[in-house]
Amino acid sequence: EGFFNSVNALSASPADGALRQVFIAAGDDLAYSVTQVAGGLAGLRSEVLTMAGQAAALASSQLAQLADLNGRMVGSSQGSLNPLLDERDRLLRELSGTIGISASFDSGGRVRVTLGSAPGGPVLLEGDVATGIGLAEAGGLVLNLTRGGVTSQTRQLSGGTLQGLAASLGAVDAAAAEL
């Protein structure tokens, strides 16, 4: 507001040296403020990316734990299976809070996990093989899914912490672009 007021005042009296000085000072103040906001947005962006990386690592860990449970369920008796099923359910709840997933179960209680809220997304867990989840950035968050030594990329984020962080990153980038 101060900058625009000084522009208006100077335009009414362009020869006034004092108004010129006020205009220059107001311009300096505006430039400083914009720089501060840009720095704050850059810091926020960095924090969002760090949190997204941590969430991806957590999801990978949860998938690895589920793969281990799936492997231990093979040939287990019903009595020894119940604690494994409880642990599986706990891990699935936690994983679904991190990333949007769909889960299906076989007759032995083993879980198959795909990415997304509807079946048909990329496979994250099948049998005792878990997909590793990493992050890349290309105009927003991109998931790097590594399975069997092959990495594919997807932007399919339909829930959980990672979707929220992707939306946050988009909002921060949009705000920075408007500066």
Side-chain angles (χ1 to χ4, degrees):
E1 183 179 317
F3 176 76
F4 296 107
N5 288 341
S6 68
V7 168
N8 289 336
L10 185 59
S11 67
S13 297
D16 189 330
L19 288 178
R20 286 182 188 178
Q21 292 303 315
V22 170
F23 169 73
I24 290 170
D28 288 344
D29 288 347
L30 177 62
Y32 176 78
S33 295
V34 169
T35 301
Q36 290 297 105
V37 170
L41 288 172
L44 182 58
R45 185 176 204 285
S46 177
E47 287 180 39
V48 169
L49 287 172
T50 297
M51 292 185 331
Q54 292 168 342
L58 177 61
S60 288
S61 172
Q62 292 163 333
L63 286 165
Q65 291 174 62
L66 284 164
D68 179 61
L69 283 173
N70 274 352
R72 293 188 346 214
M73 286 181 188
V74 176
S76 293
S77 67
Q78 187 61 40
S80 64
L81 192 58
N82 287 335
L84 297 176
L85 294 174
D86 290 343
E87 179 68 4
R88 177 205 65 194
D89 293 345
R90 181 190 66 77
L91 284 167
L92 285 171
R93 274 191 307 276
E94 291 176 5
L95 180 61
S96 68
T98 305
I99 191 167
I101 59 166
S102 294
S104 57
F105 306 92
D106 68 14
S107 61
R110 291 177 300 271
V111 64
R112 180 179 192 269
V113 178
T114 57
L115 182 63
S117 58
V123 174
L124 298 179
L125 173 68
E126 190 161 37
D128 62 356
V129 178
T131 299
I133 300 176
L135 288 180
E137 187 188 351
L141 286 182
V142 177
L143 296 180
N144 285 331
L145 305 176
T146 304
R147 184 177 179 79
V150 176
T151 299
S152 61
Q153 291 188 324
T154 183
R155 292 182 186 274
Q156 182 178 343
L157 291 166
S158 62
T161 301
L162 275 171
Q163 181 188 18
L165 291 168
S168 296
L169 183 63
V172 169
D173 286 346
E178 290 187 21
L179 279 180

